[in-house]
Amino acid sequence: MYLIDRINRIYQRYKDYEWVYILPLVVLSLKRKLEYFFFILHSEKGLPKSEDSQWYLNYAHSLLTDFKLGLHMNDLLYLGYNLILAILIGVFKEEHIVVFIQAVTTASCVILVYLITLRLFNRITAIVASYFYATSWHITVWSMYILSDSLFMNLVLLNVFLLLKALENNNKIMGSLFLLSSLLMLVFRPTGVLTLAFIFIYIVLNMKRDQPIAFLKRHRYKFVCALLFVFAAIGFLIFADKLNPLLTSLQYNAKLVLYNIYAKGWIYDNPSGHDYAYRPDYRIDIFGSLILSFLIHNWDHVLLLYGRRAIAFIGWWVWKTDIQSLAGMIKFCKDIVPTLLFLFGTYAAIRNNIFRKTSIVWLVIASIFLFCMVLFIDSMYRYKLPALPFICIVCGYGVERLIRIILFFINKFGGKLLQWNRNKHSL
């Protein structure tokens, strides 16, 4: 009894300190990431690499050699990651040290997941969501690659956290840091442009009607100067033919996506047994635009392709469902649990009138979903990675609501059972 009483006193004393909950989650997250890191580091194959990894490494080494920045799409839209990777390579030299730093950074971002969830929902949801993040296999795997995906996921988490802190008490320092992280997102990878646009939708949704007008009036001269500078810079780049490499590379990549992925009906970036086969119309007769012509002439097929990609976003298991056997049914029930928790968490947020306040979680997921559906989604779900922490948050809220429902029924029927026993024995 003394031991139980002692434990209870310790719990009552420290239960409101968030580090009590964060510290075990950080340890768990670091354990999962570093165990896997050292396992593959000392394996026969070593650290994994993809074709993109080698491109990033070559570009980083060229930056260190002559620091020459190009004007093509990959040069500008990945500028932030290229510079960070070049700095890490220049300082630490060895690739495995860069991956180690990336793994530790990704593991430590469980703190951001916890703090974001705590501000938007509650402590139980924060604990569950952070546990999902710490134990996520996909997050662990992709933190071992020298690619922009893992660090971009960390940047999005940081950006959302800084935004919530800035909105919480109108903190100017946090607001300035949020703007800096937003600028970095714009040039970190192409997904950042779309994700940041959805994050600004959240800002508009949660501002009072008179706030944007008052803000614009207060800073009207700064905005006019900023717009003039932007227009002048764009005008200079156009007249000096500096934008031609960027526009040419954008058109070239758009053509690759349309003719190599859309036209072949690929769901992923490579052919699979679940692709949508059709005969595309290649005519270019709408404003001389290859993109508009292809999308308008093949709109019905493109919509069907988007439908399949939307289903594919859930996970590869959707193509392997087997409800004919007991083993298949068990596997299907196990695979569908995260999706059901996500749907239940979404419903609960709407039902409890907190969806608007917490909508930034769904907006980030929607931006990644839209990017994957329209542009790139691979069979290993690399491009889905930045959405996973926020999916963990929604699933965590679904678990928290289920726990409360179960406790409600236990208390309700437990009380009735206790009263029935009392009435029975009193007779």
Side-chain angles (χ1 to χ4, degrees):
M1 291 296 292
Y2 171 77
L3 180 61
I4 295 174
D5 184 59
R6 179 65 176 169
I7 292 172
N8 183 56
R9 283 205 301 269
I10 293 173
Y11 170 73
Q12 293 298 329
R13 181 178 179 181
Y14 293 103
K15 67 177 183 178
D16 294 326
Y17 291 90
E18 298 305 332
W19 62 265
V20 173
Y21 309 97
I22 292 175
L23 188 58
L25 291 166
V26 172
V27 172
L28 175 63
S29 186
L30 284 169
K31 179 178 179 296
R32 290 295 180 99
K33 307 297 183 293
L34 295 183
E35 275 184 350
Y36 188 65
F37 169 78
F38 286 111
F39 170 75
I40 60 175
L41 181 65
H42 296 104
S43 64
E44 292 183 1
K45 294 183 179 180
L47 293 173
K49 281 186 180 181
S50 68
E51 293 180 3
D52 289 345
S53 298
Q54 196 57 52
W55 185 90
Y56 285 125
L57 287 168
N58 292 339
Y59 196 92
H61 286 294
S62 68
L63 282 177
L64 292 171
T65 303
D66 51 20
F67 199 76
K68 185 179 180 181
L69 296 173
L71 295 175
H72 291 270
M73 186 188 82
N74 291 337
D75 298 314
L76 296 177
L77 296 183
Y78 291 93
L79 177 64
Y81 177 71
N82 288 334
L83 289 175
I84 290 174
L85 182 60
I87 292 170
L88 291 174
I89 291 292
V91 173
F92 298 103
K93 310 300 180 184
E94 300 293 336
E95 294 174 17
H96 69 272
I97 298 178
V98 175
V99 175
F100 176 82
I101 293 171
Q102 184 173 274
V104 171
T105 304
T106 301
S108 302
C109 278
V110 72
I111 300 172
L112 294 177
V113 174
Y114 183 93
L115 295 176
I116 290 169
T117 313
L118 184 66
R119 276 167 173 76
L120 294 176
F121 298 96
N122 52 60
R123 184 180 288 157
I124 295 176
T125 305
I127 293 171
V128 176
S130 301
Y131 175 80
F132 287 159
Y133 175 89
T135 57
S136 170
W137 172 245
H138 287 285
I139 292 174
T140 299
V141 167
W142 287 114
S143 64
M144 302 298 135
Y145 284 81
I146 295 183
L147 294 167
S148 63
D149 304 82
S150 183
L151 290 181
F152 176 73
M153 177 188 70
N154 302 338
L155 179 60
V156 175
L157 284 170
L158 178 62
N159 184 266
V160 171
F161 172 74
L162 292 172
L163 173 61
L164 294 177
K165 287 287 288 183
L167 294 177
E168 191 177 76
N169 49 16
N170 198 22
N171 191 312
K172 291 184 178 180
I173 296 176
M174 290 297 173
S176 300
L177 292 174
F178 165 72
L179 290 176
L180 287 174
S181 65
S182 299
L183 290 173
L184 183 57
M185 279 180 63
L186 287 174
V187 294
F188 204 88
R189 55 177 288 156
T191 327
V193 179
L194 185 60
T195 300
L196 192 61
F198 276 71
I199 289 173
F200 273 95
I201 291 173
Y202 175 79
I203 296 174
V204 174
L205 288 175
N206 285 271
M207 290 180 74
K208 295 178 181 178
R209 292 184 179 180
D210 58 336
Q211 281 183 328
I213 298 173
F215 183 80
L216 288 173
K217 284 183 177 179
R218 190 164 61 251
H219 300 281
R220 57 185 179 275
Y221 297 115
K222 295 179 182 177
F223 273 101
V224 170
C225 292
L227 286 174
L228 289 174
F229 174 79
V230 169
F231 287 132
I234 293 174
F236 171 77
L237 291 173
I238 291 174
F239 286 114
D241 291 332
K242 297 294 184 180
L243 284 181
N244 285 345
L246 175 61
L247 296 175
T248 302
S249 60
L250 285 172
Q251 291 176 349
Y252 174 73
N253 280 278
K255 184 177 179 180
L256 285 179
V257 171
L258 289 176
Y259 287 179
N260 289 346
I261 297 178
Y262 276 50
K264 296 177 181 178
W266 288 0
I267 294 174
Y268 303 101
D269 290 353
N270 291 296
S272 69
H274 314 286
D275 295 332
Y276 172 66
Y278 69 100
R279 182 173 293 177
D281 188 339
Y282 290 105
R283 286 178 298 164
I284 304 175
D285 55 3
I286 299 177
F287 302 114
S289 171
L290 179 151
I291 299 173
L292 282 177
S293 300
F294 187 93
L295 293 178
I296 291 174
H297 288 314
N298 300 283
W299 67 269
D300 49 344
H301 301 296
V302 170
L303 287 179
L304 286 171
L305 180 61
Y306 286 165
R308 293 202 176 195
R309 285 185 156 208
I311 295 172
F313 186 82
I314 299 172
W316 183 261
W317 63 268
V318 296
W319 309 120
K320 295 184 176 181
T321 54
D322 173 24
I323 56 174
Q324 303 297 323
S325 63
L326 178 61
M329 279 295 297
I330 294 172
K331 186 179 183 303
F332 172 74
C333 292
K334 180 182 176 182
D335 289 334
I336 204 173
V337 166
T339 304
L340 293 177
L341 287 175
F342 181 87
L343 293 174
F344 184 68
T346 304
Y347 166 77
I350 297 171
R351 181 74 175 78
N352 296 329
N353 296 319
I354 63 169
F355 187 78
R356 183 171 182 172
K357 170 194 167 187
T358 61
S359 59
I360 191 167
V361 175
W362 283 270
L363 286 168
V364 171
I365 296 170
S367 70
I368 305 301
F369 170 76
L370 187 62
F371 180 88
C372 289
M373 188 176 72
V374 175
L375 293 175
F376 300 108
I377 180 171
D378 66 315
S379 57
M380 289 183 67
Y381 290 90
R382 165 188 163 193
Y383 299 110
K384 182 181 174 180
L385 182 67
L388 288 184
F390 301 92
I391 292 174
C392 290
I393 292 174
V394 179
C395 292
Y397 186 60
V399 171
E400 189 269 344
R401 289 291 96 186
L402 283 176
I403 291 172
R404 290 192 181 276
I405 291 171
I406 292 169
L407 291 176
F408 170 79
F409 281 106
I410 289 175
N411 291 332
K412 183 177 180 179
F413 290 107
K416 287 184 177 180
L417 181 61
L418 183 61
Q419 185 63 39
W420 178 79
N421 283 330
R422 286 176 180 174
N423 293 337
K424 180 180 177 181
H425 290 292
S426 65
L427 294 174

